[in-house]
Amino acid sequence: GVLLVESGGDSVQPGGSLRLSCQYSYSRRCVAWFRQAPGKEREGVAQRDFGGANIVYADSVKGRFTISRDNVRSTVYLQMNTLLPEDSAMYYCAASEFESCGRLEATEFTSWGQGTQVTVSS
């Protein structure tokens, strides 16, 4: 599997911004961000493949979140703008077994980070 380590979670006010980072041990994989709030299922937020194509966002974050990756630094980022209270969750970085991404579903991904907490509250 791929070792993934997230960072960047914090508490922010509604309307604020955060950038999450995920350093991975092997770059030639589709990578994604998921989130899970208490009592809810894990939800796919965004994904992009090794070549930078197949970028997919959940409808709930389109226009507010941006996924990017730096394969030289072996890091994938999630820039989150205009944060809402409903964005509060544990955010996880994930990698699949393939360079190209399939569906943005948890079952497509085999390696997971430990998570970083994002709390949006006034």
Side-chain angles (χ1 to χ4, degrees):
V2 178
L3 181 63
L4 303 156
V5 180
E6 304 99 331
S7 61
D10 205 343
S11 295
V12 296
Q13 292 188 341
S17 297
L18 280 176
R19 188 177 79 160
L20 305 183
S21 299
C22 171
Q23 192 154 24
Y24 44 82
S25 62
Y26 186 68
S27 65
R28 301 186 73 93
R29 294 286 186 267
C30 165
V31 290
W33 287 96
F34 285 78
R35 66 186 181 187
Q36 188 167 20
K40 294 189 177 181
E41 291 187 359
R42 191 165 293 192
E43 172 192 22
V45 175
Q47 69 178 17
R48 66 182 292 158
D49 65 21
F50 171 72
N54 291 330
I55 299 174
V56 173
Y57 295 98
D59 287 343
S60 57
V61 306
K62 281 180 182 176
R64 301 188 298 122
F65 290 13
T66 303
I67 186 171
S68 61
R69 65 189 294 172
D70 183 338
N71 288 331
V72 173
R73 291 182 171 81
S74 298
T75 303
V76 59
Y77 303 98
L78 185 69
Q79 178 66 44
M80 306 186 295
N81 298 327
T82 319
L83 282 161
L84 306 171
E86 50 263 43
D87 294 319
S88 298
M90 185 72 78
Y91 282 71
Y92 298 91
C93 181
S96 78
E97 292 293 311
F98 307 102
E99 291 186 12
S100 295
C101 296
R103 297 166 298 173
L104 182 53
E105 296 179 5
T107 52
E108 295 281 320
F109 295 85
T110 55
S111 299
W112 294 85
Q114 82 287 350
T116 187
Q117 179 68 39
V118 172
T119 302
V120 185
S121 173
S122 55

